[in-house]
Amino acid sequence: MAAASAVRSAPRVIAALVAAALLAPLSLAQPPVYRCQDAEGRTAFQQQPCPGGVVVDADGGQADPKAVERLERELEAFRTREATRRAQSAREDELARIEADRRRLENELAAARAREAERASWNDTGYWGGWNWVAPVQPAPPPRPTPPPRPPRPPSVIVPNLGR
């Protein structure tokens, strides 16, 4: 469980490191930070001066360009791995959905075949429920063969009436 939590938090840590490295030059414009102690002796850090407060040097300095470059490469590699993992997960989800559809269709087909077999076995006995006897269903006769085509008729000739 702890390993899964560490894997899930790794992108956040890498993103935070890259953001800190990229935003480091912007830290030059930050106001001073004061370390103060309250009446109970607890230490607090704040931006407003307090009685007896000491200015703390919060300047982180310049980011190492090689470290920034390495973090950017690691972030890009992480994004590539994450995209690959998501694509694989999507493929596995699609395959699982297809397999579930196939099983559902096979079950429906088996149920339809069982219903058809039950109907066929029930009808071919000719006996339904004990009340009435019904003759078994006769199969339909085969279709008649088509007759051969008729030979063509000779053309009719019109004989003119020559006055006879």
Side-chain angles (χ1 to χ4, degrees):
M1 203 73 169
S5 175
V7 169
R8 282 192 298 254
S9 65
R12 294 182 190 138
V13 171
I14 292 174
L17 290 174
V18 169
L22 294 176
L23 296 176
L26 301 177
S27 66
L28 299 175
Q30 292 182 351
V33 176
Y34 298 93
R35 182 177 66 199
C36 305
Q37 288 193 346
D38 61 4
E40 297 175 2
R42 292 182 294 199
T43 302
F45 294 91
Q46 59 191 33
Q47 291 180 347
Q48 292 82 21
C50 58
V54 179
V55 176
V56 178
D57 181 21
D59 184 21
Q62 294 293 326
D64 181 16
K66 291 181 181 179
V68 172
E69 183 180 322
R70 182 181 53 83
L71 287 173
E72 288 173 349
R73 281 193 316 265
E74 288 178 6
L75 181 62
E76 185 60 32
F78 170 77
R79 287 183 178 153
T80 302
R81 287 191 311 269
E82 184 67 14
T84 303
R85 187 193 62 78
R86 285 186 181 158
Q88 179 66 26
S89 177
R91 280 192 297 272
E92 289 171 358
D93 291 346
E94 180 67 15
L95 288 175
R97 186 191 60 76
I98 290 171
E99 180 63 21
D101 285 348
R102 185 190 62 77
R103 276 186 262 125
R104 180 184 52 83
L105 291 172
E106 283 179 351
N107 290 340
E108 288 177 7
L109 179 62
R113 285 181 176 161
R115 284 192 304 271
E116 185 61 32
E118 183 180 336
R119 272 191 227 120
S121 67
W122 186 58
N123 285 342
D124 65 1
T125 62
Y127 182 73
W128 293 351
W131 295 101
N132 295 322
W133 184 85
V134 178
V137 177
Q138 295 295 323
R144 291 184 179 177
T146 56
R150 291 184 174 175
R153 289 183 149 182
S156 58
V157 179
I158 301 176
V159 179
N161 187 356
L162 298 176
R164 293 191 213 170

